[in-house]
């Protein structure tokens, strides 16, 4: 099937899917139906800029499937976003939601814009216009958005407000990741990073490594990276490397996580925190550590990087950080680097988004303890299934995790049949 989504990120999702389809023996004529998105929407978002000009930004939303419930997935604001990347991210969301046993299909959206280059007013204009353009295609039972790279709780509040103004009533369940107090749930802000740290501890346990005194490197210091670093540090793991899109730091003696977080809260970026610990960002991933947590963008661990990795655990906070070629290198290395694949490792975000949606639908809100406890139990269930499946089938954790997700979606499609 010729694809409108062609590009390196979609190609990666396609290749991963075929590895799983081969493993599960899925016949060729079932594959396109499982892989290709149900819907892809492209919109133009014209907005007023502060200097009086008008500019048009291109926005996307991909709904991979709606077999199990509404599409669910984040909205990314980044300069290089394109339809292929959004489709790949929507596909990964499908396997992730199915692995966590959530009643959702995968969705993802984005706008091709550098959010750092916009003023607050321009960001609000763009967020509202993007949601307005999406109103015919989304809904609490159709497609529920959430934050991703370049968007945050404030953007979700504008999305929710825009949708609600058109409906004439408040509809908090249209997006998740909203501020607490406007229908957001306690625990959503830290959910993804907390899950990354929680599963890293499971992996350290499996390798018999004491977290106290173990070391970690975190790439990306936004929502996921900061909470992963804080979660790791809370149980004694020493952060020896960190980066964002402006700079990378490395210090084997350890970096003060709280001070880094405070610096980013004040300045927006890591740049300017230290002049002594600066390191080439690409070589950061190759420095020795126990836990390497890529929490930024796709495809940062390619075959070359994989050959030079010097870690015991890869905790994939980001979506798609490891290419299929790198997966093959890791398998050939045969030195037991423990990969916690993205659809398991960063699932804390969508699990707590699901809790938020449920609370909004019921208008009944839970305590933080209840959210975090249910989150950890959900992650533990997925963890046990993945580890057991990998052992049983003699496959990688990624193959095991994706196989469980793909199988669940396929079973639901088979049970419902093909309309008409
Ligand atoms: P964010 O916008 O809050 O932060 C992104 C961080 O990555 C920033 O610190 C940015 O400077 C940094 N970054 C960007 N490009 C980089 C590069 N080339 N090298 C190093 N750092 C770079 O985004 P986020 O919400 O933390 O998302 C990060 C990743 O986690 C994405 O892959 C996203 O899809 C994934 N994810 C996020 C959530 C969530 O709940 N936010 C859930 C699941 C997965």
């Amino acid at each position: 099937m010729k694809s409108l989504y062609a590009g390196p990120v979609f190609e990666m999702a396609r290749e991963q899917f075929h590895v799983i389809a081969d493993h599960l023996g899925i016949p060729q004529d079932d594959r396109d139906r499982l892989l290709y998105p149900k819907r892809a929407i492209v919109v133009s978002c014209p907005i007023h800029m502060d200097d009086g000009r008008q500019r048009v930004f291109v926005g996307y939303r991909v709904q991979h499937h709606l077999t199990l419930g509404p599409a669910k997935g984040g909205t990314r604001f980044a300069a290089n976003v394109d339809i292929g990347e959004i489709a790949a991210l929507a596909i990964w969301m499908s396997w992730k939601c199915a692995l966590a046993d959530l009643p959702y299909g995968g969705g993802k959206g984005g706008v091709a814009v550098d959010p750092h280059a916009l003023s607050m007013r321009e960001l609000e204009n763009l967020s509202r216009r993007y949601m307005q353009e999406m109103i015919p295609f989304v809904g609490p039972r159709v497609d529920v958005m959430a934050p991703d790279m370049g968007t945050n709780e404030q953007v979700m509040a504008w999305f929710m407000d825009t949708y609600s103004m058109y409906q004439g009533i408040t509809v908090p369940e249209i997006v998740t990741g909203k501020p607490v107090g406007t229908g957001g749930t306690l625990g959503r802000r830290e959910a993804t990073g907390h899950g990354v740290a929680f599963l890293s501890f499971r992996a350290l346990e499996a390798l018999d490594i004491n977290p106290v005194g173990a070391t970690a490197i975190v790439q990306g210091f936004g929502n996921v990276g900061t909470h992963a670093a804080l979660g790791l540090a809370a149980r004694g793991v020493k952060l020896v490397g960190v980066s964002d899109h402006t700079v990378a730091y490395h210090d084997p003696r350890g970096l003060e996580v709280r001070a880094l977080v405070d610096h980013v809260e004040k300045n927006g970026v890591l740049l300017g925190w230290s002049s002594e610990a600066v390191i080439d960002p690409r070589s950061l991933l190759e420095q020795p550590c126990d836990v390497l947590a890529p929490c930024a963008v796709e495809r940062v661990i390619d075959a070359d990087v994989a050959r030079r990795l010097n870690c015991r655990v890869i905790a994939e906070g980001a979506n798609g950080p490891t290419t299929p070629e790198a997966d093959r290198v890791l398998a050939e290395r045969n030195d037991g680097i423990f990969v916690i694949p993205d659809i398991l490792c960063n699932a804390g975000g969508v699990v707590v988004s699901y809790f938020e949606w449920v609370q909004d639908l019921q208008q009944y809100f839970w305590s933080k303890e209840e959210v975090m406890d249910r989150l950890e139990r959900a992650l533990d269930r997925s963890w046990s299934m993945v580890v057991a499946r990998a052992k049983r089938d003699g496959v990688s954790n990624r193959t095991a995790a994706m196989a469980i997700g793909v199988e669940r979606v396929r079973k639901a499609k088979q049970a419902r049949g093909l309309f008409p």
Side-chain angles (χ1 to χ4, degrees):
M1 184 162 161
K2 192 166 159 28
S3 172
L4 122 97
Y5 306 108
V9 188
F10 186 80
E11 189 46 41
M12 185 176 149
R14 204 186 65 81
E15 194 176 333
Q16 284 176 343
F17 170 75
H18 283 288
V19 170
I20 304 308
D22 289 343
H23 172 66
L24 295 175
I26 297 177
Q28 288 297 332
D29 63 345
D30 247 12
R31 295 188 184 196
D32 282 355
R33 186 174 169 217
L34 273 167
L35 178 67
Y36 285 94
K38 178 181 184 66
R39 263 180 220 146
I41 300 133
V42 184
V43 294
S44 296
C45 303
I47 63 161
H48 292 293
M49 305 298 284
D50 290 347
D51 63 7
R53 285 180 308 143
Q54 292 176 25
R55 275 190 67 187
V56 178
F57 297 91
V58 181
Y60 306 98
R61 186 79 191 164
V62 173
Q63 295 162 357
H64 179 227
H65 75 83
L66 303 177
T67 309
L68 290 161
K72 184 84 194 78
T75 306
R76 175 172 291 195
F77 284 4
N80 54 356
V81 156
D82 63 34
I83 189 78
E85 180 186 35
I86 297 297
L89 289 161
I91 291 167
W92 289 328
M93 278 305 290
S94 286
W95 315 144
K96 188 188 303 184
C97 291
L99 172 63
D101 217 1
L102 304 178
Y104 291 139
K108 204 80 181 190
V111 177
V113 60
D114 174 5
H116 306 289
L118 300 181
S119 69
M120 273 300 264
R121 170 60 66 86
E122 290 166 343
L123 183 63
E124 178 173 355
N125 289 348
L126 181 59
S127 303
R128 288 186 179 280
R129 185 63 191 237
Y130 172 77
M131 175 46 106
Q132 189 275 327
E133 294 295 343
M134 288 296 161
I135 286 177
F137 311 104
V138 299
R141 300 276 181 185
V142 181
D143 187 355
V144 181
M145 297 182 187
D148 191 76
M149 247 175 53
T151 58
N152 55 21
E153 290 176 17
Q154 178 59 72
V155 172
M156 295 308 113
W158 290 325
F159 281 180
M160 187 274 265
D161 183 67
T162 302
Y163 188 86
S164 297
M165 294 312 282
Y166 275 81
Q167 304 299 319
I169 51 168
T170 297
V171 190
E173 61 272 24
I174 185 61
V175 295
T176 59
K178 301 176 293 295
V180 174
T182 56
T185 182
L186 296 164
R188 175 62 184 89
R189 184 181 296 169
E190 53 271 64
T192 312
H194 180 84
V196 172
F198 179 80
L199 293 174
S200 298
F201 295 129
R202 285 282 176 272
L204 290 174
E205 216 175 2
L207 298 176
D208 219 6
I209 299 171
N210 187 347
V212 179
T215 55
I217 292 176
V218 175
Q219 181 194 45
F221 212 58
N223 173 277
V224 181
T226 51
H227 290 288
L230 286 166
L232 287 164
R235 281 191 51 193
V237 176
K238 187 164 73 170
L239 185 74
V240 294
V242 69
S243 69
D244 70 1
H245 69 286
T246 61
V247 72
Y249 298 124
H250 178 250
D251 186 343
R253 292 168 303 175
L255 301 159
E256 181 55 56
V257 180
R258 192 66 251 177
L260 287 162
V261 173
D262 291 345
H263 177 85
V264 170
E265 270 169 13
K266 210 162 132 212
N267 303 285
V269 291
L270 283 171
L271 193 68
W273 185 72
S274 155
S275 51
E276 286 160 29
V278 173
I279 185 175
D280 168 33
R282 194 169 156 91
S283 74
L284 178 72
L285 300 182
E286 298 157 13
Q287 302 306 312
C289 64
D290 294 301
V291 178
L292 175 65
C295 297
V297 290
E298 300 95 45
R299 300 167 56 76
V300 290
I301 302 179
D302 58 18
D304 275 355
V305 174
R307 275 183 211 104
R308 292 197 294 268
L309 287 180
N310 211 338
C311 62
R312 306 290 306 280
V313 174
I314 302 175
E316 294 186 341
N319 288 305
T322 308
T323 66
E325 300 78 41
D327 274 336
R328 287 193 283 275
V329 170
L330 291 174
E332 280 157 20
R333 278 178 59 142
N334 208 18
D335 55 356
I337 293 184
F338 193 106
V339 178
I340 316 172
D342 49 5
I343 65 166
L344 170 64
C345 193
N346 67 36
V350 73
V351 168
V352 176
S353 274
Y354 167 64
F355 297 160
E356 181 174 333
W357 183 69
V358 167
Q359 291 171 73
D360 286 340
L361 287 169
Q362 298 183 344
Q363 287 295 294
Y364 178 74
F365 291 89
W366 309 350
S367 68
K368 184 157 181 189
E369 291 68 37
E370 192 169 356
V371 171
M372 299 317 263
D373 179 54
R374 283 175 186 255
L375 167 64
E376 292 186 358
R377 280 190 282 139
L379 292 176
D380 258 338
R381 273 196 303 277
S382 300
W383 165 269
S384 304
M385 274 190 315
V386 169
V387 171
R389 177 81 175 241
K391 197 168 167 198
R392 188 195 81 185
D393 293 358
V395 294
S396 68
N397 290 337
R398 188 182 320 284
T399 300
M402 287 184 61
I404 297 167
V406 170
E407 229 166 40
R408 282 187 171 155
V409 175
R410 182 163 181 247
K411 271 195 186 136
K413 282 191 184 291
Q414 280 175 333
R416 289 185 56 165
L418 178 56
F419 180 86

